[in-house]
Amino acid sequence: MQKFMILILIMFFLYISSVNSDPFPAVPALYVFGDSLFDNGNNNLLPTLAKADFSPYGMNFDGGATGRFTDGKTIPDFIAEFLGLPFSPPYLSMRSSPKLTGLNFASASCGILPETGNYLGKCLNFAEQIDSFNNTIKPELPKHYKTSSEVSDYLSKSLFVIAIGSNDYINNYLDPGLYDTSKHYDPLSFARLLIGNLSLQFQRLYKLGARKVIMFEIGHIGCIPSVTRQFSHSGQCVEDVNQLAVIFNDELATMLKNLTSTLKDSEFILGQGHMLSYDAIINPSNYGLEDSSNPCCITWANGTSACIPGLAPCKDPEKHYFWDGYHLTEAVYKVIGTRCINGTVCVPKNIKDLVQI
Ligand SMILES: *[C@@H]1O[C@H](CO)[C@@H](O)[C@H](O)[C@H]1NC(C)=O
Ligand SMILES: *[C@@H]1O[C@H](CO)[C@@H](O)[C@H](O)[C@H]1NC(C)=O
Ligand SMILES: *[C@@H]1O[C@H](CO)[C@@H](O)[C@H](O)[C@H]1NC(C)=O
Ligand SMILES: *[C@@H]1O[C@H](CO)[C@@H](O)[C@H](O)[C@H]1NC(C)=O
Ligand SMILES: *[C@@H]1O[C@H](CO)[C@@H](O)[C@H](O)[C@H]1NC(C)=O
């Protein structure tokens, strides 16, 4: 009798704890789009020079060199951890039907314009990434959800995070030897070309069911070692180049506000990483950093390019701002990511408010 009572009690507590358990995942899925800032292995499987599937990339990541272009986690990884979701796997590594907790379509060296970055090999531009979402996820959903309203509910609660556009400058506009865009467009008209195309792609995402979209600004591309060591004698940031990003970011902010107000129930969030990451370059010690000008790893071409495979990097990547000639360390991605989740980097809402946890 006593044993029976205990059993009843145990079952009662199990029931209570299942009712009260955390409502994770707070968001059904995290879909990731963009370039090398967010790529976590797609380019491993493409014929391209733009790869990060070798050491020292991933030296601080559990899975080692996965294809992430940094020493550790990327911004989408921090967002996934916060949401209680697994890291969204690279779309090209999918062996069977996708899990519906998210997928990563980002592809290093690519951008908004189809020709951007193509001299390095094959990559998936933003429009192709959305095509891939449409071809893989959309047909999968009716197998898991009975009604179309369940499908729309799933998509509208999912988070879509994007970082794209830097390469339309680095691997296109700023490379007049390979691309003639700078002959045909002044900085403002080039930014408008990019933003116009980006807006069309965002409208496609909306048509496909996305409602919560976070797009990050382009960073201070005039401060990356690849630019400072080639175009600035003093090693200081090249402000003309930073200004290109500022023009793009201004147009981006206006475009996202317009989409939010014209597309019903949509929230297009701006990730204002530009000022924050610039501040961290000027005042590294405020962020626990000691070096905000030199890459941590040993790169090709004296600090201006990718890490050389197998060479030991600096001992303290957590105190470095730059990981290689183009990319930032996990330490900086963590600051931007957590302040988008919980702080004021993402506007008009941070992720915590966007997903109402
Ligand atoms: C916009 O992007 C699409 C797909 O990448 C491309 O086909 C189109 O030419 C682009 N438009 C412009 C004006 O570049
Ligand atoms: C998604 O794919 C379907 C089927 O191929 C196509 O009809 C539709 O136009 C695509 N939607 C978008 C937004 O690309
Ligand atoms: C390598 O870059 C550093 C820092 O910009 C510079 O001082 C040095 O002269 C460069 N070395 C060569 C061989 O170009
Ligand atoms: C605002 O967004 C809508 C799509 O929702 C688009 O058709 C329109 O052209 C945009 N307006 C401006 C000024 O960009
Ligand atoms: C959010 O901010 C609060 C206080 O500022 C902090 O205690 C908490 O750990 C933060 N959460 C995340 C996920 O950063």
Side-chain angles (χ1 to χ4, degrees), residues 5-317:
M5 282 300 290
I6 289 169
L7 189 65
I8 295 278
L9 274 174
I10 288 173
M11 285 174 70
F12 177 73
F13 282 114
L14 281 177
Y15 170 75
I16 292 290
S17 64
S18 75
V19 167
N20 284 343
S21 69
D22 272 350
F24 275 170
V27 172
L30 175 65
Y31 290 105
V32 179
F33 302 81
D35 54 29
S36 56
L37 296 170
F38 286 6
D39 190 347
N40 66 350
N42 285 311
N43 275 31
N44 296 356
L45 298 156
L46 293 173
T48 171
L49 297 172
K51 288 182 198 279
D53 56 350
F54 50 86
S55 114
Y57 288 101
M59 65 176 283
N60 291 322
F61 193 83
D62 271 347
T66 54
R68 286 167 173 79
F69 287 74
T70 183
D71 58 313
K73 291 174 204 157
T74 60
I75 291 175
D77 295 332
F78 288 109
I79 296 175
E81 281 180 345
F82 170 73
L83 298 172
L85 290 171
F87 298 151
S88 310
Y91 144 75
L92 288 176
S93 73
M94 239 172 53
R95 290 279 167 273
S96 47
S97 51
K99 289 213 176 70
L100 293 183
T101 50
L103 213 50
N104 184 325
F105 299 91
S107 176
S109 81
C110 249
I112 299 164
L113 299 181
E115 67 274 19
T116 289
N118 60 5
Y119 71 97
L120 292 163
K122 174 71 190 147
C123 59
L124 306 171
N125 65 48
F126 189 44
E128 290 172 328
Q129 294 176 28
I130 296 176
D131 293 344
S132 304
F133 173 80
N134 190 18
N135 298 336
T136 51
I137 301 299
K138 288 293 275 191
E140 196 63 26
L141 295 176
K143 301 180 196 162
H144 296 257
Y145 297 104
K146 284 188 232 65
T147 66
S148 64
S149 92
E150 282 176 317
V151 169
S152 341
D153 194 48
Y154 162 88
L155 287 167
S156 68
K157 286 182 173 149
S158 295
L159 222 53
F160 293 74
V161 302
I162 299 148
I164 196 103
S166 314
N167 289 329
D168 293 292
Y169 291 94
I170 297 170
N171 289 334
N172 185 331
Y173 195 72
L174 290 167
D175 201 340
L178 291 171
Y179 297 92
D180 60 2
T181 42
S182 61
K183 293 193 195 83
H184 300 301
Y185 298 98
D186 65 20
L188 181 59
S189 53
F190 188 64
R192 287 187 172 153
L193 173 78
L194 297 179
I195 294 295
N197 208 319
L198 195 57
S199 171
L200 292 177
Q201 304 309 330
F202 284 166
Q203 290 169 55
R204 288 179 64 212
L205 262 188
Y206 178 85
K207 279 205 195 85
L208 293 171
R211 292 295 177 271
K212 293 179 178 172
V213 179
I214 302 173
M215 165 75 188
F216 282 87
E217 288 180 339
I218 294 188
H220 40 77
I221 47 183
C223 300
I224 60 175
S226 157
V227 169
T228 56
R229 289 173 172 232
Q230 288 183 76
F231 303 112
S232 147
H233 294 298
S234 53
Q236 301 294 300
C237 297
V238 182
E239 294 304 339
D240 286 354
V241 173
N242 280 339
Q243 195 53 32
L244 297 173
V246 170
I247 294 170
F248 176 93
N249 291 336
D250 282 350
E251 296 289 313
L252 175 64
T254 309
M255 184 264 276
L256 296 178
K257 275 187 198 139
N258 174 45
L259 291 184
T260 303
S261 65
T262 54
L263 300 175
K264 190 169 174 291
D265 295 328
S266 72
E267 296 186 276
F268 285 85
I269 305 288
L270 178 65
Q272 289 181 310
H274 188 92
M275 276 313 291
L276 172 65
S277 48
Y278 191 69
D279 187 53
I281 288 183
I282 309 300
N283 304 302
S285 61
N286 291 355
Y287 301 84
L289 303 171
E290 285 171 7
D291 183 324
S292 61
S293 54
N294 302 297
C296 168
C297 76
I298 315 292
T299 81
W300 301 106
N302 193 24
T304 63
S305 188
C307 305
I308 299 176
L311 291 191
C314 72
K315 288 197 182 63
D316 48 0

Side-chain angles (χ1 to χ4, degrees), residues 82 338 341-342 352:
F82 170 73
T338 53
I341 291 167
N342 206 6
K352 213 167 122 221

